[in-house]
Amino acid sequence: MTVNRAALLDDFSIEVTARDGASLTEAAANLPAGTRVNITALGTEDPTARLALAASAHRDGLTPVLHLAARRVASEQELRSELGAIQDQGTSSHVVVVGGDPRKPVGPYDSALSVLRTDLLGEHGVREVGVSGYPEGHPDIDDATLARALTAKVALLEAQGLETTVITQFSFDVDAVLGWVERVRDLGVDSPLRIGVPGPTSVKRLLAFAKRCGVTTGAGVARKYGLSLGNLLVTAGPDAFVDSLGERLEPERHGDVRIHLFAFGGPTSTAAWARDYLAG
């Protein structure tokens, strides 16, 4: 039994930045009620703008999912303050905890796991926690360490009575994604998986994000995905990737797998793509 396109995009999520506030409100018309909207934690953005976007998404009938970047948190008090702020505005039910970009932590938390160990999430109304997955590996962390960290996070959150969702870095390679899904299931992780997929945007922009994130863009992978390396200005969507993934996923083997759309081309075009893809 394979997964059809409607099942794969059922309850899909979308990832935006604080700069996407106005366009997210416009995009909401094409997003199903309750859609998870992940709001990244970029060091260049004002945290108050992220809070405001979460509140706005909540008013629009969406489910905001704020990212907490462990290595950017200066103290336990700062962590409590950030969690308290999202709890006060009613947007703390879902969060994502990541290590964050700085190589050297500014405070006591050197990894996502160190934040999870504080037990502060459940105290502030968090019910579901997103953690990171890397189908093509991580440029700075070996695969064995990644596997140990993932299983530790899932076990810790289960012990705390919190749900876990694994959200992956985007990829253009269905083979790499399926291989990673099978390895994760072999580890005993049965949490829902959200596979990162870029929303429609220019090939030039996609390649720039791929380079930054260590995502493979070889000629064979690019051709299968539908990227035209000879025309960087053309817009590329994830149709071929999602078609192939949906055809090859086996629910009894791969478990609960959904799509997580990175809105590199903006929330409006990404939401419209999802609407049109589902419509066939």
Side-chain angles (χ1 to χ4, degrees), residues 18 21 23 25 37 41 43 80 88 92 97 104 118 128 145 171 183 198 206 235-236 245-247 251 271 273:
S23 53
T25 297
V37 179
R80 287 181 177 276
D88 289 346
S92 66
V97 182
K104 182 178 180 181
T118 66
E128 180 185 279
T145 300
S171 175
R183 292 192 299 274
L206 280 177
T235 295
L245 184 61
E247 290 168 359
W273 174 85

Side-chain angles (χ1 to χ4, degrees), residues 129-149:
V129 180
V131 299
S132 300
Y134 300 92
E136 298 187 30
H138 190 288
D140 300 318
I141 307 173
D142 64 83
D143 289 346
T145 300
L146 286 174
R148 287 194 299 271

